[in-house]
Amino acid sequence: PGAPERCDDVDHDCDGTAREVVATHIDPSGLVTDLTATLGAGTASAPVHHAAEPGDLQFCGGTWFVTLLASSGNYYGYDGAVLDAAGSGSVVRVPEGTNLDVYDLVLQGGSGHLNEGATVGGAVLVEEGVEYFRLARSVIRDSTADYGGGIDVLPRNPGCCLLDGVTVQGNTATYNGGGITVGAGSRLN
């Protein structure tokens, strides 16, 4: 009893419900932390800005009003989980040196991150020097930025980025790349 719930159809907290709307973090040592209260505190008018620690994040169902500064690990969505920045920045910002896989999430409502006087990466911003980034079986929608309304891969990311079964729809850009922008010296497969 009282253990953090996870997205695995097991009733870890012994409350009689195996699949709840929860968010959990699993660090590289296997320690599980319940982030439901922290990340669930976001609203459409005040999303939570969260700097993730290395490890795995699991989002079980629901809409989470959040922006994430990513760290190395794996991010999983279950039961139609949605991350919505509600116009308060990029939904997921992937910084230099990160190795990240993102699976089965809907990322929406991003407005980009300010970079050299312009907003970039409405839903997803891959900053310079990212080691590896994969986005799979996910939807990028209804986001906007000056450059890369859906996704912006900044320059100097050779071979870092892979999209696999991703739908990009309903995103807009003021200047370039309503769906996706890829900077010089970067590669997106």
Side-chain angles (χ1 to χ4, degrees):
E5 196 63 71
R6 295 170 69 174
C7 301
D8 60 5
D9 291 326
V10 174
D11 185 12
H12 293 277
D13 63 3
C14 301
D15 70 351
T17 306
R19 185 67 71 113
E20 301 174 24
V21 177
V22 296
T24 56
H25 174 261
I26 305 166
D27 78 9
S29 74
L31 177 67
V32 179
T33 304
D34 185 351
L35 295 178
T36 305
T38 300
L39 300 181
T43 65
S45 59
V48 169
H49 302 284
H50 183 73
E53 296 291 328
D56 295 350
L57 282 175
Q58 298 179 344
F59 296 90
C60 301
T63 297
W64 302 85
F65 292 101
V66 63
T67 64
L68 296 174
L69 176 58
S71 188
S72 292
N74 301 290
Y75 296 177
Y76 301 97
Y78 297 91
D79 302 330
V82 175
L83 305 185
D84 190 331
S88 68
S90 298
V91 182
V92 176
R93 188 165 55 116
V94 186
E96 178 180 2
T98 301
N99 289 287
L100 179 65
D101 289 283
V102 177
Y103 302 97
D104 304 309
L105 282 164
V106 175
L107 307 177
Q108 68 183 29
S111 60
H113 179 72
L114 191 60
N115 182 40
E116 298 181 14
T119 56
V120 294
V124 176
L125 172 60
V126 180
E127 295 182 350
E128 293 182 14
V130 168
E131 293 183 21
Y132 177 79
F133 174 68
R134 178 181 183 204
L135 181 63
R137 303 181 309 265
S138 295
V139 176
I140 305 299
R141 70 180 181 205
D142 304 328
S143 295
T144 186
D146 292 331
Y147 299 92
I151 300 170
D152 194 347
V153 180
L154 293 181
R156 295 179 286 287
N157 280 306
C160 86
C161 305
L162 173 66
L163 299 182
D164 181 11
V166 174
T167 300
V168 179
Q169 64 188 29
N171 302 288
T172 59
T174 305
Y175 303 113
N176 192 3
I180 300 172
T181 298
V182 179
S186 291
R187 183 173 170 177
L188 179 65
N189 296 318

